[in-house]
Amino acid sequence: MPEAPRFYLISNRRQMGIDPVASVLRLAMAGLPAFQWREKDLSARDSHRLLQRLIAELRDAGATTQIVINDRVDIALALGLGVHLPEEGLPTRV
């Protein structure tokens, strides 16, 4: 398991411009070590679709930014991402 980065960006689509994937890609190319997707108001389908696109664009660009999703173990497993479990989320033993 990779060491947790000391600095990372937490998403906020409303502040990331019209294309949040492009915003993260620009930051990744500038050296962003990690990114946490935390869009609680999006459906699982929409989060999965955007993250799938982000993963592909990061890979194509050769970026090494780690991606973590907030509180969605299902999407993390489906896409091979890390997951951040908030204090009020699922217990880690589950």
Side-chain angles (χ1 to χ4, degrees):
M1 177 151 81
E3 182 177 324
R6 300 181 127 237
F7 170 82
Y8 63 94
L9 176 75
I10 299 174
S11 71
N12 183 333
R13 289 187 337 281
R14 290 169 183 79
Q15 295 181 357
M16 294 173 71
I18 195 160
D19 186 358
V21 170
S23 296
V24 175
L25 184 59
R26 278 193 303 276
L27 292 167
M29 298 313 294
L32 180 69
F35 171 72
Q36 180 178 332
W37 184 256
R38 188 177 185 263
E39 299 298 327
K40 295 179 179 184
D41 64 323
L42 274 186
S43 69
R45 182 183 309 263
D46 288 339
S47 284
H48 182 273
R49 180 182 49 82
L50 286 168
L51 285 167
Q52 199 170 34
R53 182 177 148 223
L54 176 60
I55 291 164
E57 291 195 24
L58 289 171
R59 182 189 59 240
D60 292 348
T64 59
T65 302
Q66 294 177 24
I67 303 173
V68 174
I69 186 167
N70 193 72
D71 202 27
R72 291 304 307 247
V73 175
D74 55 343
I75 297 172
L77 289 170
L79 296 174
L81 302 177
V83 64
H84 173 268
L85 296 175
E87 193 172 328
E88 69 280 351
L90 282 174
T92 54
R93 70 182 178 283
V94 173

